[in-house]
Amino acid sequence: MTVSSSSGRISDGIHTRVLEPLYAEVLRRNPGETEFHQAAREVLETLGPVFADRPELVDARIVERLCEPERQLIFRVPWLDDRGRTQINRGFRVEFNSALGPYKGGLRFHPSVNLGIVKFLGFEQIFKNALTGMPIGGGKGGSDFDPKNRSDNEIMRFCQSFMLELYRHLGEYTDVPAGDIGVGSREVGYLFGQYRRITNRHESGVLTGKGLNWGGAQARTEATGYGCVMFTAEMLRARGLELEGKRVSISGSGNVAIYAAEKAQQLGATVISCSDSSGYIVDDKGVDLELLKQLKEVERGRISEYVERRGPHARFVSGSSVWEVPCDVALPCATQNELDEDDAVTLVRNGVIAVAEGANMPATPEAVRVLQEAGVAFAPGKAANAGGVATSALEMQQNASRDSWTFAYTEQRLSEIMRHIHDSSHRTAERYGQPGNYVVGANIAGFEIVADAMLAQGLI
Ligand code: GLU
């Protein structure tokens, strides 16, 4: 697969001379890591015009350095299940880039986790974190541990064993994990408790997504979903449209999906569907969020139970894609590569006007092409879902000053950050002759911030 030029004549030479060999090198050095290849390619494809303008970045081999993590950790996580049997999982932390601040990014606990997945997520995180304008570097971690059907005690024992190795690599100035798929406030609590016990330090700023009465930030739980919808509203506004009155379809029913639905409803949209790995629900009257939260956050049950409790105007469809539901706005908030070319074609046929990625890289490259060619407003995850990590940076700020802000103030800061990300991505895309292309805008805007910091700090 070659890196194609999406930037026109000026940078074609750069593509052949610089970016294609660089992508070949990424493939050679990281065999089998398909998601990382995909994430790297998506960024490389857009950088041609910057290199054409700024040869010093090519000379300093900034992208080669960006594609090679500063440090990659893989470790064994042994633990005992409730029946006293020994279980072994694999733990990861990829400390990708610290030019802007301590490594920052979540932990994912899911059986699909491997080094390639963690590297794709860590790579995305570098640019996403830069776009927020906050002083945070990029990293990511996790484990192939499957939390499904595990008891609370098993989750705790796993988290304690995981931290028994990871703690030596962390610190508020070094590396600051948070949650991602399979890691929420319960897991962050167990991880923080173990870190505190091992180190004998109540170092609040070492993890984010903490509980509100022990250093957590208001609005952190809501931030990724809220931010995604705030970005969508900005994107629509830039086209002279508004979110009010629109039908919104969401994939997933975890933390990002639930709070994306909440903010969409607050802004006057109707959320008609959401999903989990078993299928999707459609509720023409608008999803009942209290019921969804009870089912998913408290009972940790299946989405099909929603229909059983909600009544006749809701239906459950098992085993097919939520993207077959006609909608104006689609928010993929589940996981990587969940919205493919066929789904994009269906969405376009049904009249979708905007798609914003609440998850990390949920749309495949082919799907993105279909949406962009059809003139759909498309927001990539590194811009649209940056509200979560941005609010983590606000949590770190509060921890550093031993302060705690109100929900309203934190949400206002979040909304300013999302507007800033929107405007800088929009402006950058225009500057490089691709108005409305938020993929180009976000990649270049994020890249330039990190590249300038790396250039200033010398060959590290
Ligand atoms: N896992 C989230 C993300 O993908 C948040 C990371 C964080 O708060 O550090 O950006």
Side-chain angles (χ1 to χ4, degrees):
M1 203 177 284
T2 56
V3 181
S4 65
S5 170
S6 55
S7 48
R9 272 235 179 83
I10 244 179
S11 55
D12 281 354
I14 301 278
H15 271 273
T16 321
R17 189 168 54 81
V18 181
L19 295 170
E20 284 191 19
L22 216 150
Y23 183 61
E25 189 61 8
V26 168
L27 293 182
R28 193 189 65 78
R29 292 176 85 110
N30 308 281
E33 297 177 358
T34 47
E35 289 84 2
F36 177 49
H37 302 163
Q38 184 184 334
R41 188 173 139 235
E42 190 250 6
V43 170
L44 293 180
E45 277 182 345
T46 57
L47 295 182
V50 189
F51 285 159
D53 269 11
R54 302 187 55 190
E56 76 275 16
L57 297 179
V58 180
D59 294 343
R61 303 189 68 187
I62 294 290
V63 186
E64 287 91 326
R65 281 151 64 189
L66 267 170
C67 288
E68 186 65 23
E70 290 175 11
R71 193 174 296 107
Q72 307 183 52
L73 308 159
I74 303 181
F75 51 95
R76 181 172 65 204
V77 189
W79 56 283
L80 285 178
D81 69 17
D82 283 348
R83 292 167 60 189
R85 289 176 313 200
T86 296
Q87 300 281 344
I88 313 281
N89 285 98
R90 189 172 282 182
F92 301 90
R93 187 74 181 164
V94 174
E95 298 181 333
F96 230 115
N97 195 292
S98 58
L100 298 180
Y103 308 108
K104 183 80 197 88
L107 299 170
R108 177 177 291 192
F109 292 169
H110 191 269
S112 66
V113 167
N114 57 37
L115 185 59
I117 299 260
V118 178
K119 274 161 77 173
F120 121 63
L121 292 164
F123 187 73
E124 292 276 297
Q125 203 84 46
I126 303 171
F127 306 99
K128 181 197 307 194
N129 294 4
L131 277 171
T132 65
M134 309 295 287
I136 41 178
K140 202 84 185 191
S143 174
D144 59 1
F145 170 71
D146 187 356
K148 206 181 267 176
N149 302 323
R150 288 293 176 193
S151 71
D152 208 59
N153 278 326
E154 289 177 315
I155 301 280
M156 180 173 72
R157 283 196 295 275
F158 176 80
C159 288
Q160 290 179 338
S161 181
F162 185 85
M163 187 52 94
L164 196 51
E165 170 58 34
L166 190 64
Y167 87 94
R168 66 187 88 244
H169 309 290
L170 305 184
E172 64 174 315
Y173 298 110
T174 312
D175 187 350
V176 183
D180 195 83
I181 293 171
V183 179
S185 58
R186 173 180 59 166
E187 290 74 16
V188 170
Y190 295 146
L191 291 163
F192 184 77
Q194 181 77 336
Y195 182 87
R196 185 169 61 74
R197 187 172 193 202
I198 298 168
T199 59
N200 193 30
R201 284 162 64 86
H202 192 114
E203 188 186 335
S204 306
V206 75
L207 281 166
T208 60
K210 299 181 294 296
L212 290 179
N213 53 357
W214 45 278
Q218 296 280 355
R220 175 62 190 90
T221 307
E222 294 81 359
T224 313
Y226 274 26
C228 179
V229 172
M230 289 168 178
F231 193 97
T232 307
E234 291 295 329
M235 199 163 61
L236 290 174
R237 195 170 304 138
R239 295 181 164 217
L241 301 167
E242 56 180 22
L243 194 62
E244 197 178 344
K246 301 289 183 293
R247 286 164 314 151
V248 178
S249 179
I250 297 179
S251 63
S253 47
N255 171 267
V256 182
I258 287 174
Y259 292 98
E262 186 164 283
K263 181 50 75 183
Q265 289 187 354
Q266 285 172 9
L267 296 182
T270 307
V271 177
I272 50 171
S273 56
C274 61
S275 67
D276 69 12
S277 54
S278 64
Y280 67 84
I281 57 123
V282 184
D283 188 335
D284 294 323
K285 289 201 173 154
V287 168
D288 178 341
L289 271 177
E290 289 320 305
L291 175 55
L292 187 65
K293 284 184 191 174
Q294 171 66 22
L295 273 170
K296 285 292 178 180
E297 291 184 330
V298 183
E299 298 173 26
R300 299 178 194 269
R302 308 306 299 165
I303 196 112
S304 50
E305 293 165 45
Y306 177 93
V307 174
E308 288 153 29
R309 296 195 210 171
R310 177 74 164 148
H313 51 82
R315 63 196 162 88
F316 172 68
V317 181
S318 83
S320 44
S321 165
V322 68
W323 307 123
E324 64 196 26
V325 180
C327 62
D328 305 308
V329 173
L331 304 177
C333 296
T335 194
Q336 66 272 1
N337 292 328
E338 50 146 317
L339 192 165
D340 65 16
E341 186 171 11
D342 290 344
D343 296 322
V345 169
T346 308
L347 283 168
V348 169
R349 195 183 325 114
N350 288 333
V352 76
I353 55 172
V355 177
E357 294 187 321
N360 290 310
M361 207 170 74
T364 64
E366 297 76 24
V368 176
R369 195 175 336 104
V370 168
L371 295 170
Q372 288 183 325
E373 282 174 9
V376 175
F378 175 76
K382 54 173 89 65
N385 73 36
V389 77
T391 308
S392 278
L394 299 178
E395 182 172 332
M396 291 163 74
Q397 198 174 325
Q398 291 166 76
N399 294 153
S401 57
R402 301 191 187 283
D403 198 357
S404 96
W405 307 342
T406 63
F407 191 99
Y409 178 67
T410 317
E411 192 187 4
Q412 180 207 322
R413 291 283 305 265
L414 167 65
S415 116
E416 285 161 8
I417 292 170
M418 294 316 294
R419 192 170 317 123
H420 162 76
I421 298 172
H422 174 272
D423 293 352
S424 64
S425 309
H426 194 265
R427 214 178 320 113
T428 306
E430 253 170 15
R431 179 152 57 92
Y432 285 98
Q434 302 208 44
N437 188 335
Y438 290 92
V439 175
V440 166
N443 284 349
I444 296 184
F447 170 75
E448 286 199 301
I449 295 168
V450 187
D452 285 337
M454 289 173 71
L455 214 50
Q457 292 173 28
L459 182 55
I460 314 263

